[in-house]
Amino acid sequence: MTAVKGFWNEQARKHGTGLAATTPDPIAKDLEIGALKRHLDPAPDTLEIGCGNGTDILRLLDHLRGRVVGIDYAEDMIEAARKTVSELDEADRRRVTVDVGDIMKDMAPLGHFSQIFTVRCLINLPTLEHQLQAVRNIDAILDPGGRLVLVESTRQGQDRLNAMRGAVGLTPIPYHWHNHYLDQEAFLAGLPKHLRLVEIDSFASLYFVVSRVFNAKMTPPGQAPDYLAEINKIAGQLPSMGDNAPLKLFVIKKERRP
Ligand SMILES: C[S@@+](CC[C@H](N)C(=O)[O-])C[C@H]1O[C@@H](n2cnc3c(N)ncnc32)[C@H](O)[C@@H]1O
């Protein structure tokens, strides 16, 4: 895991507070933020684990009304996130805290939250067992009745997307060396029983089909597809359909009486 952490520290040193530190795809980020706004309750204090350079927190501050805490195990990401926070107006600065913290360690010093979310954090953990241990660590600081929102990528979604690419003669999109996409069925089956799946929002399905199949196929051989191609922008404005992207959002509720 040290090499993965080194990768994220390097991304932070290279891109600072810029979006490119955590994603090459601005439209996918817009869709993530839109989905989070649909599924995060504005009222409670909220914790983001794997907050990177603070992009999500910054863009959710007009939605979340309570205290917002972000942690990330990459020290350089947190340094960038602190810069992001230092540029907020005073009222927001007072309700946002970012700090170094590891989802694989005891997070009790952070206190308890009734709302916790991740965005492409669990996919950096090397095995399903690590991913389930991370959820148990979250569970330890999630209030009964609380909400866990996971924006993560699945192997099943990646397989379906790659099957579509194959149908039009494109090669499969490979996994990044540092990623271990969730095995959706095994992951959901392994959740503690008192963590109940309420909804899966395949918010990026249409966008991924358009950007990774249509736009990729229309791009001349030898050129890299443009993330901001017109057709991608159009897809980003449409309601999603189907379940053909790796990236999706899981809403999980913690029962009041485990
Ligand atoms: C793809 S980036 C996403 C960052 C941010 N959520 C966003 O969407 O802009 C994944 C982040 O998870 C962090 N991360 C990976 N493993 C972690 C762990 N064990 N504990 C805390 N953060 C971790 C990385 O350092 C990185 O900043």
Side-chain angles (χ1 to χ4, degrees):
M1 259 199 277
T2 321
V4 180
K5 185 172 151 180
F7 169 79
W8 288 116
N9 272 322
E10 181 61 31
Q11 284 292 104
R13 285 196 293 273
K14 208 146 95 191
H15 301 287
T17 57
L19 182 64
T22 56
T23 178
D25 188 337
I27 297 174
K29 173 51 76 187
D30 290 347
L31 294 175
E32 287 178 344
I33 297 295
L36 285 165
K37 286 185 177 178
R38 283 197 300 280
H39 295 286
L40 289 175
D41 182 347
D45 292 349
T46 300
L47 170 66
E48 180 182 14
I49 305 174
C51 67
N53 60 7
T55 298
D56 297 328
I57 292 177
L58 179 69
R59 293 190 58 184
L60 288 167
L61 281 179
D62 62 348
H63 174 75
L64 299 173
R65 297 197 298 266
R67 203 164 57 87
V68 184
V69 177
I71 63 164
D72 199 290
Y73 74 165
E75 298 83 359
D76 294 310
M77 280 292 178
I78 289 301
E79 196 180 318
R82 288 203 172 108
K83 184 159 191 302
T84 302
V85 173
S86 74
E87 287 162 7
L88 295 173
D89 66 40
E90 200 194 329
D92 281 338
R93 221 167 42 232
R94 269 197 264 118
R95 68 188 179 106
V96 178
T97 315
V98 290
D99 217 336
V100 175
D102 188 337
I103 201 170
M104 296 311 292
K105 301 213 170 117
D106 178 16
M107 294 183 284
L110 296 169
H112 277 66
F113 290 83
S114 59
Q115 182 159 264
I116 299 177
F117 73 97
T118 67
V119 179
R120 288 173 288 115
C121 177
L122 300 183
I123 58 170
N124 292 285
L125 305 174
T127 66
L128 172 66
E129 188 38 48
H130 285 83
Q131 292 164 341
L132 290 172
Q133 182 59 51
V135 173
R136 290 192 289 273
N137 294 346
I138 293 173
D139 182 32
I141 57 163
L142 183 63
D143 291 330
R147 173 186 295 246
L148 170 59
V149 173
L150 304 174
V151 177
E152 298 288 344
S153 299
T154 69
R155 287 185 165 266
Q156 286 82 354
Q158 178 91 334
D159 287 348
R160 281 193 290 277
L161 185 69
N162 278 335
M164 285 190 176
R165 284 173 60 92
V168 296
L170 293 169
T171 55
I173 298 174
Y175 291 102
H176 293 294
W177 67 269
H178 56 92
N179 281 158
H180 183 90
Y181 283 11
L182 302 187
D183 177 338
Q184 183 167 322
E185 270 99 62
F187 176 75
L188 294 176
L191 293 179
K193 289 291 161 274
H194 57 273
L195 293 183
R196 189 170 47 84
L197 177 70
V198 190
E199 188 178 344
I200 300 177
D201 185 341
S202 294
F203 66 92
S205 176
L206 176 72
Y207 172 68
F208 267 67
V209 172
V210 170
S211 59
R212 273 63 169 176
V213 182
F214 284 65
N215 186 46
K217 182 69 183 172
M218 286 157 47
T219 301
Q223 283 183 27
D226 177 7
Y227 284 106
L228 291 174
E230 201 53 34
I231 191 175
N232 293 4
K233 290 183 186 165
I234 294 167
Q237 291 167 40
L238 295 172
S240 192
M241 57 196 293
D243 184 15
N244 297 302
L247 190 61
K248 58 184 77 174
L249 180 150
F250 299 88
V251 183
I252 292 163
K253 280 277 281 180
K254 180 166 176 172
E255 302 288 357
R256 285 191 184 277
R257 283 190 206 83

